[in-house]
PDB file of all heavy atoms in Angstrom:
ATOM      1  N   ASP A   1     105.717  95.460  87.360  1.00 95.00           N
ATOM      2  CA  ASP A   1     107.129  95.577  87.692  1.00 95.00           C
ATOM      3  C   ASP A   1     107.536  97.028  87.909  1.00 95.00           C
ATOM      4  O   ASP A   1     106.838  97.949  87.498  1.00 95.00           O
ATOM      5  CB  ASP A   1     107.993  94.998  86.565  1.00 95.00           C
ATOM      6  CG  ASP A   1     107.695  93.540  86.311  1.00 95.00           C
ATOM      7  OD1 ASP A   1     108.053  92.716  87.158  1.00 95.00           O
ATOM      8  OD2 ASP A   1     107.094  93.240  85.268  1.00 95.00           O
ATOM      9  N   ILE A   2     108.703  97.180  88.536  1.00 96.00           N
ATOM     10  CA  ILE A   2     109.335  98.489  88.683  1.00 96.00           C
ATOM     11  C   ILE A   2     110.740  98.369  88.131  1.00 96.00           C
ATOM     12  O   ILE A   2     111.456  97.405  88.403  1.00 96.00           O
ATOM     13  CB  ILE A   2     109.400  98.916  90.161  1.00 96.00           C
ATOM     14  CG1 ILE A   2     107.989  99.102  90.728  1.00 96.00           C
ATOM     15  CG2 ILE A   2     110.218 100.205  90.312  1.00 96.00           C
ATOM     16  CD1 ILE A   2     107.940  99.393  92.217  1.00 96.00           C
ATOM     17  N   VAL A   3     111.148  99.358  87.344  1.00 98.00           N
ATOM     18  CA  VAL A   3     112.517  99.450  86.848  1.00 98.00           C
ATOM     19  C   VAL A   3     113.166 100.603  87.594  1.00 98.00           C
ATOM     20  O   VAL A   3     112.651 101.718  87.596  1.00 98.00           O
ATOM     21  CB  VAL A   3     112.559  99.715  85.324  1.00 98.00           C
ATOM     22  CG1 VAL A   3     113.992  99.924  84.860  1.00 98.00           C
ATOM     23  CG2 VAL A   3     111.911  98.572  84.567  1.00 98.00           C
ATOM     24  N   ALA A   4     114.289 100.324  88.243  1.00 98.00           N
ATOM     25  CA  ALA A   4     115.046 101.366  88.939  1.00 98.00           C
ATOM     26  C   ALA A   4     116.345 101.585  88.181  1.00 98.00           C
ATOM     27  O   ALA A   4     117.074 100.633  87.901  1.00 98.00           O
ATOM     28  CB  ALA A   4     115.338 100.953  90.376  1.00 98.00           C
ATOM     29  N   VAL A   5     116.623 102.829  87.846  1.00 98.00           N
ATOM     30  CA  VAL A   5     117.856 103.182  87.132  1.00 98.00           C
ATOM     31  C   VAL A   5     118.664 104.082  88.066  1.00 98.00           C
ATOM     32  O   VAL A   5     118.271 105.213  88.351  1.00 98.00           O
ATOM     33  CB  VAL A   5     117.559 103.902  85.797  1.00 98.00           C
ATOM     34  CG1 VAL A   5     118.852 104.133  85.036  1.00 98.00           C
ATOM     35  CG2 VAL A   5     116.566 103.097  84.954  1.00 98.00           C
ATOM     36  N   THR A   6     119.793 103.549  88.564  1.00 98.00           N
ATOM     37  CA  THR A   6     120.579 104.223  89.592  1.00 98.00           C
ATOM     38  C   THR A   6     121.932 104.665  89.049  1.00 98.00           C
ATOM     39  O   THR A   6     122.596 103.917  88.322  1.00 98.00           O
ATOM     40  CB  THR A   6     120.811 103.261  90.775  1.00 98.00           C
ATOM     41  OG1 THR A   6     119.543 102.767  91.212  1.00 98.00           O
ATOM     42  CG2 THR A   6     121.502 103.952  91.932  1.00 98.00           C
ATOM     43  N   LYS A   7     122.329 105.863  89.453  1.00 97.00           N
ATOM     44  CA  LYS A   7     123.637 106.406  89.059  1.00 97.00           C
ATOM     45  C   LYS A   7     124.745 105.568  89.663  1.00 97.00           C
ATOM     46  O   LYS A   7     124.692 105.192  90.820  1.00 97.00           O
ATOM     47  CB  LYS A   7     123.768 107.855  89.526  1.00 97.00           C
ATOM     48  CG  LYS A   7     125.046 108.530  89.075  1.00 97.00           C
ATOM     49  CD  LYS A   7     125.006 109.998  89.415  1.00 97.00           C
ATOM     50  CE  LYS A   7     126.278 110.740  89.098  1.00 97.00           C
ATOM     51  NZ  LYS A   7     127.077 110.310  88.021  1.00 97.00           N
ATOM     52  N   GLN A   8     125.722 105.266  88.851  1.00 96.00           N
ATOM     53  CA  GLN A   8     126.911 104.538  89.265  1.00 96.00           C
ATOM     54  C   GLN A   8     128.125 105.450  89.056  1.00 96.00           C
ATOM     55  O   GLN A   8     128.016 106.475  88.392  1.00 96.00           O
ATOM     56  CB  GLN A   8     127.067 103.267  88.416  1.00 96.00           C
ATOM     57  CG  GLN A   8     125.907 102.295  88.546  1.00 96.00           C
ATOM     58  CD  GLN A   8     125.803 101.731  89.933  1.00 96.00           C
ATOM     59  OE1 GLN A   8     126.643 100.957  90.360  1.00 96.00           O
ATOM     60  NE2 GLN A   8     124.770 102.114  90.666  1.00 96.00           N
ATOM     61  N   PRO A   9     129.281 105.079  89.593  1.00 95.00           N
ATOM     62  CA  PRO A   9     130.462 105.920  89.340  1.00 95.00           C
ATOM     63  C   PRO A   9     130.676 106.166  87.838  1.00 95.00           C
ATOM     64  O   PRO A   9     131.072 107.251  87.430  1.00 95.00           O
ATOM     65  CB  PRO A   9     131.611 105.111  89.936  1.00 95.00           C
ATOM     66  CG  PRO A   9     130.968 104.300  91.020  1.00 95.00           C
ATOM     67  CD  PRO A   9     129.590 103.968  90.483  1.00 95.00           C
ATOM     68  N   ARG A  10     130.364 105.146  87.041  1.00 94.00           N
ATOM     69  CA  ARG A  10     130.398 105.279  85.578  1.00 94.00           C
ATOM     70  C   ARG A  10     129.095 104.724  85.031  1.00 94.00           C
ATOM     71  O   ARG A  10     128.849 103.524  85.081  1.00 94.00           O
ATOM     72  CB  ARG A  10     131.564 104.505  84.976  1.00 94.00           C
ATOM     73  CG  ARG A  10     132.893 105.093  85.312  1.00 94.00           C
ATOM     74  CD  ARG A  10     133.980 104.367  84.589  1.00 94.00           C
ATOM     75  NE  ARG A  10     135.258 104.965  84.924  1.00 94.00           N
ATOM     76  CZ  ARG A  10     136.405 104.479  84.596  1.00 94.00           C
ATOM     77  NH1 ARG A  10     136.464 103.355  83.906  1.00 94.00           N
ATOM     78  NH2 ARG A  10     137.514 105.075  84.936  1.00 94.00           N
ATOM     79  N   GLY A  11     128.242 105.574  84.528  1.00 96.00           N
ATOM     80  CA  GLY A  11     127.001 105.127  83.913  1.00 96.00           C
ATOM     81  C   GLY A  11     125.887 104.870  84.902  1.00 96.00           C
ATOM     82  O   GLY A  11     125.793 105.533  85.935  1.00 96.00           O
ATOM     83  N   SER A  12     125.054 103.861  84.577  1.00 98.00           N
ATOM     84  CA  SER A  12     123.853 103.574  85.366  1.00 98.00           C
ATOM     85  C   SER A  12     123.634 102.080  85.526  1.00 98.00           C
ATOM     86  O   SER A  12     123.956 101.300  84.635  1.00 98.00           O
ATOM     87  CB  SER A  12     122.621 104.154  84.665  1.00 98.00           C
ATOM     88  OG  SER A  12     122.715 105.539  84.540  1.00 98.00           O
ATOM     89  N   LEU A  13     123.042 101.710  86.660  1.00 98.00           N
ATOM     90  CA  LEU A  13     122.625 100.337  86.929  1.00 98.00           C
ATOM     91  C   LEU A  13     121.118 100.267  86.740  1.00 98.00           C
ATOM     92  O   LEU A  13     120.375 101.099  87.260  1.00 98.00           O
ATOM     93  CB  LEU A  13     122.977  99.932  88.360  1.00 98.00           C
ATOM     94  CG  LEU A  13     122.439  98.577  88.832  1.00 98.00           C
ATOM     95  CD1 LEU A  13     123.071  97.437  88.036  1.00 98.00           C
ATOM     96  CD2 LEU A  13     122.661  98.408  90.318  1.00 98.00           C
ATOM     97  N   ILE A  14     120.645  99.265  85.996  1.00 98.00           N
ATOM     98  CA  ILE A  14     119.227  99.060  85.728  1.00 98.00           C
ATOM     99  C   ILE A  14     118.791  97.793  86.468  1.00 98.00           C
ATOM    100  O   ILE A  14     119.317  96.707  86.207  1.00 98.00           O
ATOM    101  CB  ILE A  14     118.962  98.892  84.219  1.00 98.00           C
ATOM    102  CG1 ILE A  14     119.492 100.103  83.465  1.00 98.00           C
ATOM    103  CG2 ILE A  14     117.486  98.661  83.942  1.00 98.00           C
ATOM    104  CD1 ILE A  14     119.929  99.795  82.061  1.00 98.00           C
ATOM    105  N   GLU A  15     117.844  97.952  87.400  1.00 98.00           N
ATOM    106  CA  GLU A  15     117.319  96.811  88.148  1.00 98.00           C
ATOM    107  C   GLU A  15     115.822  96.673  87.858  1.00 98.00           C
ATOM    108  O   GLU A  15     115.117  97.672  87.769  1.00 98.00           O
ATOM    109  CB  GLU A  15     117.508  97.013  89.648  1.00 98.00           C
ATOM    110  CG  GLU A  15     118.967  97.105  90.066  1.00 98.00           C
ATOM    111  CD  GLU A  15     119.097  97.413  91.538  1.00 98.00           C
ATOM    112  OE1 GLU A  15     119.108  96.454  92.328  1.00 98.00           O
ATOM    113  OE2 GLU A  15     119.160  98.607  91.882  1.00 98.00           O
ATOM    114  N   ILE A  16     115.379  95.433  87.744  1.00 97.00           N
ATOM    115  CA  ILE A  16     113.965  95.159  87.487  1.00 97.00           C
ATOM    116  C   ILE A  16     113.454  94.263  88.609  1.00 97.00           C
ATOM    117  O   ILE A  16     114.042  93.218  88.880  1.00 97.00           O
ATOM    118  CB  ILE A  16     113.767  94.451  86.131  1.00 97.00           C
ATOM    119  CG1 ILE A  16     114.368  95.297  85.010  1.00 97.00           C
ATOM    120  CG2 ILE A  16     112.297  94.150  85.888  1.00 97.00           C
ATOM    121  CD1 ILE A  16     114.498  94.573  83.693  1.00 97.00           C
ATOM    122  N   GLN A  17     112.376  94.708  89.261  1.00 96.00           N
ATOM    123  CA  GLN A  17     111.776  93.906  90.320  1.00 96.00           C
ATOM    124  C   GLN A  17     110.263  93.873  90.123  1.00 96.00           C
ATOM    125  O   GLN A  17     109.690  94.833  89.604  1.00 96.00           O
ATOM    126  CB  GLN A  17     112.078  94.510  91.689  1.00 96.00           C
ATOM    127  CG  GLN A  17     113.539  94.435  92.053  1.00 96.00           C
ATOM    128  CD  GLN A  17     113.756  94.011  93.487  1.00 96.00           C
ATOM    129  OE1 GLN A  17     112.939  94.272  94.350  1.00 96.00           O
ATOM    130  NE2 GLN A  17     114.853  93.341  93.731  1.00 96.00           N
ATOM    131  N   ASP A  18     109.649  92.760  90.568  1.00 95.00           N
ATOM    132  CA  ASP A  18     108.188  92.729  90.505  1.00 95.00           C
ATOM    133  C   ASP A  18     107.669  93.857  91.397  1.00 95.00           C
ATOM    134  O   ASP A  18     108.356  94.315  92.309  1.00 95.00           O
ATOM    135  CB  ASP A  18     107.634  91.361  90.919  1.00 95.00           C
ATOM    136  CG  ASP A  18     107.828  91.080  92.385  1.00 95.00           C
ATOM    137  OD1 ASP A  18     106.955  91.451  93.190  1.00 95.00           O
ATOM    138  OD2 ASP A  18     108.872  90.508  92.739  1.00 95.00           O
ATOM    139  N   TYR A  19     106.463  94.327  91.104  1.00 94.00           N
ATOM    140  CA  TYR A  19     105.936  95.530  91.750  1.00 94.00           C
ATOM    141  C   TYR A  19     105.944  95.422  93.274  1.00 94.00           C
ATOM    142  O   TYR A  19     106.403  96.323  93.965  1.00 94.00           O
ATOM    143  CB  TYR A  19     104.516  95.830  91.254  1.00 94.00           C
ATOM    144  CG  TYR A  19     104.024  97.176  91.706  1.00 94.00           C
ATOM    145  CD1 TYR A  19     104.296  98.315  90.968  1.00 94.00           C
ATOM    146  CD2 TYR A  19     103.322  97.320  92.897  1.00 94.00           C
ATOM    147  CE1 TYR A  19     103.867  99.562  91.392  1.00 94.00           C
ATOM    148  CE2 TYR A  19     102.886  98.557  93.328  1.00 94.00           C
ATOM    149  CZ  TYR A  19     103.170  99.678  92.576  1.00 94.00           C
ATOM    150  OH  TYR A  19     102.752 100.920  93.009  1.00 94.00           O
ATOM    151  N   ARG A  20     105.467  94.318  93.813  1.00 93.00           N
ATOM    152  CA  ARG A  20     105.375  94.167  95.269  1.00 93.00           C
ATOM    153  C   ARG A  20     106.754  94.218  95.927  1.00 93.00           C
ATOM    154  O   ARG A  20     106.967  94.946  96.891  1.00 93.00           O
ATOM    155  CB  ARG A  20     104.658  92.864  95.611  1.00 93.00           C
ATOM    156  CG  ARG A  20     104.320  92.709  97.066  1.00 93.00           C
ATOM    157  CD  ARG A  20     103.459  91.471  97.310  1.00 93.00           C
ATOM    158  NE  ARG A  20     102.185  91.524  96.632  1.00 93.00           N
ATOM    159  CZ  ARG A  20     101.099  92.122  97.087  1.00 93.00           C
ATOM    160  NH1 ARG A  20     101.130  92.749  98.234  1.00 93.00           N
ATOM    161  NH2 ARG A  20      99.971  92.096  96.401  1.00 93.00           N
ATOM    162  N   SER A  21     107.714  93.471  95.397  1.00 94.00           N
ATOM    163  CA  SER A  21     109.063  93.460  95.969  1.00 94.00           C
ATOM    164  C   SER A  21     109.760  94.796  95.781  1.00 94.00           C
ATOM    165  O   SER A  21     110.426  95.304  96.690  1.00 94.00           O
ATOM    166  CB  SER A  21     109.909  92.363  95.307  1.00 94.00           C
ATOM    167  OG  SER A  21     109.343  91.108  95.529  1.00 94.00           O
ATOM    168  N   GLY A  22     109.619  95.372  94.590  1.00 95.00           N
ATOM    169  CA  GLY A  22     110.243  96.657  94.311  1.00 95.00           C
ATOM    170  C   GLY A  22     109.679  97.764  95.177  1.00 95.00           C
ATOM    171  O   GLY A  22     110.424  98.591  95.712  1.00 95.00           O
ATOM    172  N   TYR A  23     108.360  97.784  95.341  1.00 94.00           N
ATOM    173  CA  TYR A  23     107.748  98.816  96.180  1.00 94.00           C
ATOM    174  C   TYR A  23     108.239  98.672  97.616  1.00 94.00           C
ATOM    175  O   TYR A  23     108.576  99.645  98.272  1.00 94.00           O
ATOM    176  CB  TYR A  23     106.226  98.736  96.126  1.00 94.00           C
ATOM    177  CG  TYR A  23     105.565  99.953  96.740  1.00 94.00           C
ATOM    178  CD1 TYR A  23     105.179 101.021  95.941  1.00 94.00           C
ATOM    179  CD2 TYR A  23     105.353 100.048  98.108  1.00 94.00           C
ATOM    180  CE1 TYR A  23     104.585 102.150  96.490  1.00 94.00           C
ATOM    181  CE2 TYR A  23     104.769 101.160  98.673  1.00 94.00           C
ATOM    182  CZ  TYR A  23     104.388 102.215  97.862  1.00 94.00           C
ATOM    183  OH  TYR A  23     103.820 103.324  98.413  1.00 94.00           O
ATOM    184  N   SER A  24     108.307  97.448  98.108  1.00 93.00           N
ATOM    185  CA  SER A  24     108.792  97.206  99.466  1.00 93.00           C
ATOM    186  C   SER A  24     110.245  97.678  99.608  1.00 93.00           C
ATOM    187  O   SER A  24     110.598  98.321 100.591  1.00 93.00           O
ATOM    188  CB  SER A  24     108.675  95.722  99.787  1.00 93.00           C
ATOM    189  OG  SER A  24     109.216  95.440 101.047  1.00 93.00           O
ATOM    190  N   ARG A  25     111.065  97.375  98.629  1.00 95.00           N
ATOM    191  CA  ARG A  25     112.482  97.741  98.673  1.00 95.00           C
ATOM    192  C   ARG A  25     112.694  99.249  98.601  1.00 95.00           C
ATOM    193  O   ARG A  25     113.534  99.804  99.300  1.00 95.00           O
ATOM    194  CB  ARG A  25     113.213  97.044  97.525  1.00 95.00           C
ATOM    195  CG  ARG A  25     114.676  97.374  97.464  1.00 95.00           C
ATOM    196  CD  ARG A  25     115.354  96.610  96.381  1.00 95.00           C
ATOM    197  NE  ARG A  25     116.738  97.034  96.247  1.00 95.00           N
ATOM    198  CZ  ARG A  25     117.503  96.741  95.233  1.00 95.00           C
ATOM    199  NH1 ARG A  25     117.038  95.993  94.253  1.00 95.00           N
ATOM    200  NH2 ARG A  25     118.737  97.173  95.172  1.00 95.00           N
ATOM    201  N   TRP A  26     111.958  99.918  97.716  1.00 95.00           N
ATOM    202  CA  TRP A  26     112.182 101.346  97.471  1.00 95.00           C
ATOM    203  C   TRP A  26     111.076 102.234  98.032  1.00 95.00           C
ATOM    204  O   TRP A  26     110.941 103.390  97.635  1.00 95.00           O
ATOM    205  CB  TRP A  26     112.337 101.591  95.970  1.00 95.00           C
ATOM    206  CG  TRP A  26     113.520 100.894  95.383  1.00 95.00           C
ATOM    207  CD1 TRP A  26     114.824 101.020  95.759  1.00 95.00           C
ATOM    208  CD2 TRP A  26     113.526  99.959  94.303  1.00 95.00           C
ATOM    209  NE1 TRP A  26     115.637 100.215  94.986  1.00 95.00           N
ATOM    210  CE2 TRP A  26     114.860  99.553  94.074  1.00 95.00           C
ATOM    211  CE3 TRP A  26     112.523  99.418  93.498  1.00 95.00           C
ATOM    212  CZ2 TRP A  26     115.225  98.656  93.081  1.00 95.00           C
ATOM    213  CZ3 TRP A  26     112.885  98.507  92.516  1.00 95.00           C
ATOM    214  CH2 TRP A  26     114.221  98.137  92.308  1.00 95.00           C
ATOM    215  N   GLN A  27     110.280 101.723  98.981  1.00 91.00           N
ATOM    216  CA  GLN A  27     109.117 102.466  99.448  1.00 91.00           C
ATOM    217  C   GLN A  27     109.465 103.819 100.045  1.00 91.00           C
ATOM    218  O   GLN A  27     108.659 104.757  99.964  1.00 91.00           O
ATOM    219  CB  GLN A  27     108.296 101.635 100.429  1.00 91.00           C
ATOM    220  CG  GLN A  27     108.990 101.340 101.746  1.00 91.00           C
ATOM    221  CD  GLN A  27     108.113 100.483 102.622  1.00 91.00           C
ATOM    222  OE1 GLN A  27     106.911 100.704 102.699  1.00 91.00           O
ATOM    223  NE2 GLN A  27     108.704  99.506 103.271  1.00 91.00           N
ATOM    224  N   HIS A  28     110.650 103.971 100.632  1.00 91.00           N
ATOM    225  CA  HIS A  28     111.014 105.269 101.197  1.00 91.00           C
ATOM    226  C   HIS A  28     111.072 106.353 100.121  1.00 91.00           C
ATOM    227  O   HIS A  28     110.909 107.531 100.421  1.00 91.00           O
ATOM    228  CB  HIS A  28     112.320 105.177 101.985  1.00 91.00           C
ATOM    229  CG  HIS A  28     113.474 104.627 101.205  1.00 91.00           C
ATOM    230  ND1 HIS A  28     113.602 103.279 100.919  1.00 91.00           N
ATOM    231  CD2 HIS A  28     114.537 105.240 100.647  1.00 91.00           C
ATOM    232  CE1 HIS A  28     114.700 103.096 100.213  1.00 91.00           C
ATOM    233  NE2 HIS A  28     115.288 104.257 100.027  1.00 91.00           N
ATOM    234  N   HIS A  29     111.249 105.969  98.864  1.00 92.00           N
ATOM    235  CA  HIS A  29     111.221 106.933  97.759  1.00 92.00           C
ATOM    236  C   HIS A  29     109.851 106.985  97.082  1.00 92.00           C
ATOM    237  O   HIS A  29     109.477 108.002  96.521  1.00 92.00           O
ATOM    238  CB  HIS A  29     112.273 106.582  96.697  1.00 92.00           C
ATOM    239  CG  HIS A  29     113.672 106.674  97.207  1.00 92.00           C
ATOM    240  ND1 HIS A  29     114.250 107.858  97.602  1.00 92.00           N
ATOM    241  CD2 HIS A  29     114.606 105.718  97.389  1.00 92.00           C
ATOM    242  CE1 HIS A  29     115.487 107.625  98.008  1.00 92.00           C
ATOM    243  NE2 HIS A  29     115.726 106.338  97.890  1.00 92.00           N
ATOM    244  N   LEU A  30     109.125 105.886  97.110  1.00 90.00           N
ATOM    245  CA  LEU A  30     107.873 105.781  96.364  1.00 90.00           C
ATOM    246  C   LEU A  30     106.635 106.135  97.184  1.00 90.00           C
ATOM    247  O   LEU A  30     105.586 106.414  96.622  1.00 90.00           O
ATOM    248  CB  LEU A  30     107.720 104.360  95.805  1.00 90.00           C
ATOM    249  CG  LEU A  30     108.859 103.902  94.899  1.00 90.00           C
ATOM    250  CD1 LEU A  30     108.657 102.449  94.496  1.00 90.00           C
ATOM    251  CD2 LEU A  30     108.979 104.798  93.684  1.00 90.00           C
ATOM    252  N   ARG A  31     106.750 106.136  98.506  1.00 82.00           N
ATOM    253  CA  ARG A  31     105.603 106.410  99.362  1.00 82.00           C
ATOM    254  C   ARG A  31     104.985 107.782  99.103  1.00 82.00           C
ATOM    255  O   ARG A  31     103.791 107.967  99.247  1.00 82.00           O
ATOM    256  CB  ARG A  31     106.022 106.305 100.825  1.00 82.00           C
ATOM    257  CG  ARG A  31     104.966 105.699 101.686  1.00 82.00           C
ATOM    258  CD  ARG A  31     105.407 105.471 103.109  1.00 82.00           C
ATOM    259  NE  ARG A  31     106.637 104.711 103.153  1.00 82.00           N
ATOM    260  CZ  ARG A  31     107.571 104.872 104.090  1.00 82.00           C
ATOM    261  NH1 ARG A  31     107.396 105.718 105.057  1.00 82.00           N
ATOM    262  NH2 ARG A  31     108.664 104.157 104.067  1.00 82.00           N
ATOM    263  N   THR A  32     105.800 108.745  98.729  1.00 80.00           N
ATOM    264  CA  THR A  32     105.288 110.099  98.478  1.00 80.00           C
ATOM    265  C   THR A  32     104.690 110.238  97.080  1.00 80.00           C
ATOM    266  O   THR A  32     104.133 111.274  96.749  1.00 80.00           O
ATOM    267  CB  THR A  32     106.401 111.145  98.653  1.00 80.00           C
ATOM    268  OG1 THR A  32     107.463 110.843  97.748  1.00 80.00           O
ATOM    269  CG2 THR A  32     106.921 111.143 100.084  1.00 80.00           C
ATOM    270  N   SER A  33     104.799 109.199  96.257  1.00 82.00           N
ATOM    271  CA  SER A  33     104.240 109.236  94.905  1.00 82.00           C
ATOM    272  C   SER A  33     102.777 108.803  94.939  1.00 82.00           C
ATOM    273  O   SER A  33     102.243 108.449  95.981  1.00 82.00           O
ATOM    274  CB  SER A  33     105.031 108.304  93.972  1.00 82.00           C
ATOM    275  OG  SER A  33     104.733 106.953  94.273  1.00 82.00           O
ATOM    276  N   SER A  34     102.159 108.800  93.784  1.00 86.00           N
ATOM    277  CA  SER A  34     100.769 108.343  93.680  1.00 86.00           C
ATOM    278  C   SER A  34     100.691 106.833  93.430  1.00 86.00           C
ATOM    279  O   SER A  34      99.616 106.299  93.215  1.00 86.00           O
ATOM    280  CB  SER A  34     100.055 109.100  92.560  1.00 86.00           C
ATOM    281  OG  SER A  34     100.699 108.825  91.330  1.00 86.00           O
ATOM    282  N   TRP A  35     101.818 106.159  93.473  1.00 90.00           N
ATOM    283  CA  TRP A  35     101.832 104.723  93.231  1.00 90.00           C
ATOM    284  C   TRP A  35     101.158 103.999  94.386  1.00 90.00           C
ATOM    285  O   TRP A  35     101.442 104.279  95.549  1.00 90.00           O
ATOM    286  CB  TRP A  35     103.251 104.211  93.063  1.00 90.00           C
ATOM    287  CG  TRP A  35     103.987 104.767  91.882  1.00 90.00           C
ATOM    288  CD1 TRP A  35     103.622 105.820  91.095  1.00 90.00           C
ATOM    289  CD2 TRP A  35     105.226 104.312  91.373  1.00 90.00           C
ATOM    290  NE1 TRP A  35     104.562 106.034  90.132  1.00 90.00           N
ATOM    291  CE2 TRP A  35     105.570 105.122  90.271  1.00 90.00           C
ATOM    292  CE3 TRP A  35     106.090 103.299  91.737  1.00 90.00           C
ATOM    293  CZ2 TRP A  35     106.731 104.947  89.530  1.00 90.00           C
ATOM    294  CZ3 TRP A  35     107.259 103.121  91.000  1.00 90.00           C
ATOM    295  CH2 TRP A  35     107.561 103.936  89.903  1.00 90.00           C
ATOM    296  N   PRO A  36     100.298 103.042  94.103  1.00 88.00           N
ATOM    297  CA  PRO A  36      99.603 102.352  95.192  1.00 88.00           C
ATOM    298  C   PRO A  36     100.529 101.412  95.958  1.00 88.00           C
ATOM    299  O   PRO A  36     101.408 100.781  95.380  1.00 88.00           O
ATOM    300  CB  PRO A  36      98.509 101.562  94.474  1.00 88.00           C
ATOM    301  CG  PRO A  36      99.007 101.392  93.083  1.00 88.00           C
ATOM    302  CD  PRO A  36      99.860 102.595  92.789  1.00 88.00           C
ATOM    303  N   ASP A  37     100.310 101.358  97.255  1.00 87.00           N
ATOM    304  CA  ASP A  37     101.055 100.453  98.120  1.00 87.00           C
ATOM    305  C   ASP A  37     100.448  99.057  97.963  1.00 87.00           C
ATOM    306  O   ASP A  37      99.263  98.858  98.225  1.00 87.00           O
ATOM    307  CB  ASP A  37     100.933 100.928  99.565  1.00 87.00           C
ATOM    308  CG  ASP A  37     101.724 100.078 100.541  1.00 87.00           C
ATOM    309  OD1 ASP A  37     102.113  98.933 100.193  1.00 87.00           O
ATOM    310  OD2 ASP A  37     101.960 100.553 101.658  1.00 87.00           O
ATOM    311  N   PRO A  38     101.229  98.058  97.544  1.00 88.00           N
ATOM    312  CA  PRO A  38     100.665  96.725  97.313  1.00 88.00           C
ATOM    313  C   PRO A  38     100.197  96.037  98.596  1.00 88.00           C
ATOM    314  O   PRO A  38      99.457  95.058  98.532  1.00 88.00           O
ATOM    315  CB  PRO A  38     101.802  95.953  96.656  1.00 88.00           C
ATOM    316  CG  PRO A  38     103.033  96.682  97.016  1.00 88.00           C
ATOM    317  CD  PRO A  38     102.644  98.118  97.207  1.00 88.00           C
ATOM    318  N   VAL A  39     100.587  96.533  99.756  1.00 83.00           N
ATOM    319  CA  VAL A  39     100.139  95.951 101.016  1.00 83.00           C
ATOM    320  C   VAL A  39      98.723  96.428 101.338  1.00 83.00           C
ATOM    321  O   VAL A  39      97.968  95.752 102.007  1.00 83.00           O
ATOM    322  CB  VAL A  39     101.115  96.326 102.155  1.00 83.00           C
ATOM    323  CG1 VAL A  39     100.607  95.830 103.504  1.00 83.00           C
ATOM    324  CG2 VAL A  39     102.489  95.767 101.866  1.00 83.00           C
ATOM    325  N   ASN A  40      98.350  97.583 100.810  1.00 76.00           N
ATOM    326  CA  ASN A  40      97.030  98.160 101.029  1.00 76.00           C
ATOM    327  C   ASN A  40      95.965  97.281 100.390  1.00 76.00           C
ATOM    328  O   ASN A  40      96.150  96.763  99.293  1.00 76.00           O
ATOM    329  CB  ASN A  40      96.997  99.569 100.414  1.00 76.00           C
ATOM    330  CG  ASN A  40      95.717 100.308 100.695  1.00 76.00           C
ATOM    331  OD1 ASN A  40      94.657  99.719 100.825  1.00 76.00           O
ATOM    332  ND2 ASN A  40      95.830 101.609 100.774  1.00 76.00           N
ATOM    333  N   GLN A  41      94.846  97.142 101.028  1.00 48.00           N
ATOM    334  CA  GLN A  41      93.761  96.293 100.527  1.00 48.00           C
ATOM    335  C   GLN A  41      93.235  96.735  99.165  1.00 48.00           C
ATOM    336  O   GLN A  41      92.704  95.940  98.417  1.00 48.00           O
ATOM    337  CB  GLN A  41      92.593  96.268 101.515  1.00 48.00           C
ATOM    338  CG  GLN A  41      92.935  95.578 102.813  1.00 48.00           C
ATOM    339  CD  GLN A  41      93.194  94.090 102.633  1.00 48.00           C
ATOM    340  OE1 GLN A  41      92.756  93.477 101.674  1.00 48.00           O
ATOM    341  NE2 GLN A  41      93.934  93.507 103.547  1.00 48.00           N
TER     342      GLN A  41
END
């Protein structure tokens, strides 16, 4: 899984997604990391 903690006008929003869906959703931020792309073989 991936947990995303995003700044809100007041406090933070915590979202939990399975790794494949989360990586797909947030890949523009995660592609530059060392996290493996789940689409890759």
